[in-house]
Amino acid sequence: FPPPEDFAQQAHLGDVSDYEKLWQESQRNPVQYWEGTAKKYVWWETPWKQAFEWNEPFSKWFIGGKTNAAYNCLDRHLEKNGDKLALIFEAEDGRVENWTYKQLHREVCRFSNALLSIGAKPGSPITIYLPMVPEAIIAMLACARIGAPHSVIFAGFAASAIRDRVLDASSEIILTSDVAYRRGTKLDLLKTVEEAVKQTPAVHSVVVLQREKTAALTGVFKDWSTLIARASENHEAKSFDSEHPLFFLYTSGTTGKPKGIVHTTGGYLTSVISSAHMVFDLKKDDIYWCTADIGWVTGHSYIVYGLLGNAATCVLFEGALNFPHPGRIWEIVDKHEVSILYTAPTAIRSFMRTGEEHVDKFKLDTLRLLGSVGEPINPEAWMWYHRKIGKEQCPIVDTWWQTETGGMMITPLPGVVSTKPGSATRPLPGIVANIVREDGSSANAGEGGYLVIEHPWPSMLRAIHRDPERFKETYWSKFKGKYFTGDGASRDADGFYWIKGRVDDVLNVSGHRLGTMEIESAIVSHPYVAEAAVVGKPDELKGQAVVAFVTPKDSAGLKDFEKATAELKAHVAKEIGSIARPDEIRWTKTLPKTRSGKIMRRLLKDLAAGKEVTGDTTTLENPGLVEYLH
Ligand code: WT7
């Protein structure tokens, strides 16, 4: 699909030959491209002295430059856009709150002072465990403003997951709320945090946003509104080094321990503000809605920093997209006149399934651009999105990127790049991508291989917190000098990328990233369990479903496997959070292993997918087992 003509005519980047020139130049000289971009999109108090330093695998961008992320998202807009809406918040019950840039700025200043009053310091991480409410964004921006890196934990995670992340980050302050509202019920966030902080002795303050009733809080627990009532609304933002850490975000990897991905300030802002502007083709009257939670990188980059950095108006929704009726998402689009919608393939597939009558009740005529993120979008879902939601008028931007990349990497620019359903199309200007074979050589057109990035980019992760070895090993050891994404992909004759999904032991369930080892260690912590292996199986709705092969301890003397299955699923939800709950538990006497003792995951994957096991099983310790596992 070529860009619709009227769209191309009004687009920031609407001239194909200009774009081709820019793109080619950016491939030859990415640093020059990024310097221009950093000047154009980011406010700098002090300009940088050196644009880029590469000390493989450690990079620095805009060295010597000083800036402040919150200033970029708020203060610099006040003169021209102070009365413009920054946030339109809709609660699950339909209540709406509007926040102008002036109001948001005032509240962020106030909360910055509140944080300072309880001992927050530049460089000292603050944990945020909040639902999708304006205060979550206020909290993030206040942290950024005072130079305290935030570590946001998705509010669906369980107590032990909070505890591990708080300890790993050495965080002494937690920001949370009493409850979150979801599907007509209340989730008790405070109870979860209370449990977590029993084992985090360094935490001296838990600031609680009390949404239900104001109870008296004691010990380390402090009331949010009391703190801000005492705080001044004047706060002057101090600038920090471009490489000052802006946030940590924990994500799953191939071991049992989540990785604390570290992002810094100047380069990150350069990438997310410029990509939001170009990929969403942002105009001053756009109403933008990203349905992701701020607990994931999508919320960080394409609600908070990328969009507020452009003085855009964002819808923020606390609730489920299909509650209390299957068309809630479309109702919100009409109600707030959303012009740009950014959502996930899994959501699109679930709306395809619930039936078109729930879409037909709504006009959807304010939409002009659609986005997709989080997992490969299958062509059928792409076409449905195009036809049913976009009414064949809206370009679709399928944006490939990762927690580690900070910003979008491979995606169409809607005014100049044609789209093919199921392809994320081409790398953005400044992004030097490639598909390589096992030996590191470039794959031919149409040949599958590993997706790598061949030149550092400004919003690249700088580190895994406290684990430089793992940082090197995970991203920089497979292919010399290239960033390895962990994804498999191919590139067609037009240079378009087709992302196939993870080639490592990372699962993608409804666009959420889960480590198989993390789930395995939660499973084996249950007293019944001797051993476990977790694999993904293809799932029409969720992309992948979680299947666990589990061997019980003889001593457990299990007889009622149905009951044990239910208990084990609940156990994982309690240990990690309900997003990690296995869809299927398969009990087995032993797990298939090679003679050297490695679990044969490929075989288990085939079994889980219901495929015949055809691969080589000669190295299997116990070949009869294959039959047994059926
Ligand atoms: C993994 C990253 C991107 C922010 C949300 C997820 C998969 C993401 C796409 C896409 C195909 C995609 C990849 C990637 N992925 N977007 N448009 N097409 N695959 O961030 O949790 O860090 O996961 O999500 O497998 O490696 P994340």
Side-chain angles (χ1 to χ4, degrees):
F1 294 91
E5 216 164 283
D6 48 346
F7 191 97
Q9 260 171 24
Q10 58 79 55
H12 295 305
L13 276 126
D15 185 298
V16 179
S17 62
D18 283 355
Y19 155 75
E20 278 299 338
K21 211 171 122 231
L22 173 86
W23 194 85
Q24 295 296 349
E25 267 172 27
S26 81
Q27 297 291 301
R28 274 194 299 274
N29 195 343
V31 176
Q32 187 186 311
Y33 170 80
W34 287 116
E35 274 204 89
T37 306
K39 274 191 198 126
K40 181 167 167 195
Y41 288 98
V42 178
W43 167 89
W44 298 87
E45 186 190 65
T46 311
W48 58 89
K49 293 198 176 67
Q50 188 187 338
F52 173 59
E53 183 191 283
W54 183 222
N55 193 348
E56 192 186 330
F58 302 102
S59 72
K60 288 185 178 164
W61 286 85
F62 313 119
I63 303 155
K66 283 190 190 299
T67 184
N68 181 298
Y71 190 97
N72 271 282
C73 293
L74 300 167
D75 306 55
R76 69 161 161 165
H77 306 320
L78 293 181
E79 202 181 319
K80 253 170 68 197
N81 287 306
D83 294 320
K84 183 177 176 177
L85 287 187
L87 298 176
I88 301 171
F89 168 66
E90 172 148 340
E92 190 172 69
D93 64 8
R95 182 176 58 86
V96 173
E97 248 176 50
N98 287 326
W99 289 77
T100 65
Y101 272 91
K102 254 188 215 156
Q103 290 167 326
L104 192 61
H105 172 259
R106 190 180 312 139
E107 219 42 42
V108 168
C109 286
R110 197 195 304 273
F111 200 63
S112 300
N113 286 324
L115 287 176
L116 292 171
S117 76
I118 55 167
K121 281 188 280 299
S124 177
I126 295 180
T127 297
I128 298 177
Y129 184 72
L130 279 168
M132 285 286 281
V133 288
E135 287 82 357
I137 292 178
I138 290 165
M140 289 167 78
L141 289 172
C143 289
R145 193 171 186 90
I146 63 171
H150 50 72
S151 166
V152 182
I153 302 176
F154 172 59
F157 276 115
S160 55
I162 302 174
R163 176 201 61 207
D164 293 349
R165 287 157 174 78
V166 166
L167 291 175
D168 187 80
S170 312
S171 181
E172 296 172 5
I173 298 176
I174 302 178
L175 312 175
T176 189
S177 70
D178 51 356
V179 295
Y181 301 104
R182 195 153 179 94
R183 294 190 185 282
T185 61
K186 284 177 220 159
L187 306 178
D188 195 336
L189 300 190
L190 184 54
K191 200 168 126 225
T192 310
V193 173
E194 278 168 352
E195 203 183 318
V197 296
K198 282 186 191 143
Q199 294 171 63
T200 57
V203 171
H204 60 67
S205 303
V206 179
V207 182
V208 187
L209 177 70
Q210 304 203 66
R211 310 175 70 194
E212 282 278 294
K213 56 175 191 306
T214 314
L217 299 171
T218 54
V220 297
F221 296 91
K222 294 169 184 163
D223 177 50
W224 186 298
S225 54
T226 312
L227 272 188
I228 57 172
R230 288 194 213 118
S232 149
E233 58 180 53
N234 298 315
H235 179 273
E236 204 170 320
K238 207 174 112 224
S239 284
F240 297 94
D241 275 340
S242 174
E243 284 297 334
H244 187 79
L246 178 61
F247 64 86
F248 299 173
L249 188 54
Y250 286 84
T251 189
S252 298
T254 54
T255 75
K257 198 172 168 280
K259 308 180 273 197
I261 303 298
V262 180
H263 281 290
T264 58
T265 309
Y268 173 80
L269 292 175
T270 300
S271 164
V272 300
I273 298 175
S274 66
S275 56
H277 187 251
M278 295 190 296
V279 176
F280 296 131
D281 188 48
L282 285 177
K283 299 287 157 53
K284 72 177 198 330
D285 294 329
D286 274 317
I287 310 281
Y288 166 93
W289 183 23
C290 164
T291 65
D293 194 281
I294 44 126
W296 311 112
V297 73
T298 308
H300 284 56
S301 301
Y302 297 106
I303 298 179
V304 184
Y305 295 106
L307 276 291
L308 300 180
N310 275 292
T313 300
C314 298
V315 172
L316 186 72
F317 173 54
E318 179 191 23
L321 299 176
N322 58 0
F323 184 87
H325 61 82
R328 180 72 187 271
I329 178 175
W330 316 122
E331 184 188 354
I332 293 177
V333 168
D334 274 5
K335 179 171 167 187
H336 298 297
E337 306 186 340
V338 171
S339 57
I340 303 170
L341 177 67
Y342 193 33
T343 193
T346 188
I348 299 165
R349 289 193 294 266
S350 80
F351 292 116
M352 275 170 83
R353 196 179 273 193
T354 29
E356 303 199 338
E357 67 275 21
H358 300 293
V359 182
D360 291 336
K361 286 186 204 139
F362 302 99
K363 297 214 290 281
L364 306 183
D365 56 352
T366 51
L367 288 171
R368 66 180 200 93
L369 180 77
L370 301 173
S372 170
V373 62
E375 51 177 320
I377 177 166
N378 48 311
E380 299 70 34
W382 198 105
M383 286 305 297
W384 187 84
Y385 201 24
H386 169 71
R387 179 176 57 78
K388 200 64 209 168
I389 308 305
K391 319 286 183 204
E392 301 178 8
Q393 304 293 311
C394 306
I396 294 180
V397 290
D398 172 6
T399 62
W400 177 88
W401 55 293
Q402 307 176 302
T403 304
E404 291 87 342
T405 69
M408 296 171 182
M409 302 292 279
I410 304 180
T411 172
L413 290 173
V416 281
V417 178
S418 296
T419 51
K420 302 185 190 187
S423 168
T425 76
R426 300 177 76 183
L428 282 175
I431 302 300
V432 186
N434 199 4
I435 311 277
V436 296
R437 305 186 178 110
E438 195 69 46
D439 67 4
S441 59
S442 295
N444 293 327
E447 182 186 341
Y450 299 103
L451 177 62
V452 296
I453 311 296
E454 298 198 326
H455 190 284
W457 63 101
S459 62
M460 183 169 96
L461 81 161
R462 298 299 193 264
I464 292 177
H465 184 56
R466 288 222 274 234
D467 206 342
E469 280 315 308
R470 189 174 181 191
F471 174 66
K472 286 184 197 162
E473 168 64 29
T474 311
Y475 308 110
W476 304 97
S477 67
K478 195 165 169 68
F479 303 106
K480 176 100 196 70
K482 303 178 196 326
Y483 169 84
F484 175 47
T485 62
D487 277 336
S490 67
R491 190 171 43 201
D492 66 20
D494 296 331
F496 277 43
Y497 285 71
W498 299 78
I499 315 290
K500 306 225 161 77
R502 306 290 307 193
V503 295
D504 51 13
D505 291 326
V506 169
L507 304 182
N508 190 328
V509 178
S510 301
H512 296 151
R513 186 155 151 186
L514 298 169
T516 48
M517 289 268 282
E518 259 174 274
I519 307 176
E520 284 162 11
S521 35
I523 293 176
V524 297
S525 72
H526 192 280
Y528 293 165
V529 176
E531 232 186 345
V534 167
V535 296
K537 82 167 191 189
D539 183 276
E540 252 185 53
L541 200 61
K542 305 202 274 188
Q544 276 186 308
V546 179
V547 181
F549 291 86
V550 181
T551 62
K553 278 185 190 150
D554 285 343
S555 59
L558 281 192
K559 297 228 165 44
D560 187 346
F561 284 94
E562 227 168 275
K563 183 165 154 258
T565 297
E567 279 177 24
L568 201 49
K569 287 184 180 179
H571 175 71
V572 175
K574 188 175 172 297
E575 283 298 304
I576 305 178
S578 44
I579 46 167
R581 186 195 307 266
D583 296 275
E584 240 180 82
I585 306 262
R586 297 217 200 166
W587 297 92
T588 164
K589 273 203 179 131
T590 45
L591 289 171
K593 288 186 188 153
T594 62
R595 292 202 175 95
S596 63
K598 270 183 90 174
I599 294 176
M600 299 181 79
R601 292 179 170 279
R602 210 167 23 92
L603 188 148
L604 291 176
K605 261 186 215 164
D606 286 350
L607 278 173
K611 282 194 214 153
E612 275 302 303
V613 177
T614 49
D616 179 14
T617 55
T618 51
T619 51
L620 193 59
E621 190 189 19
N622 175 5
L625 188 71
V626 178
E627 225 124 295
Y628 178 72
L629 281 167
H630 278 289

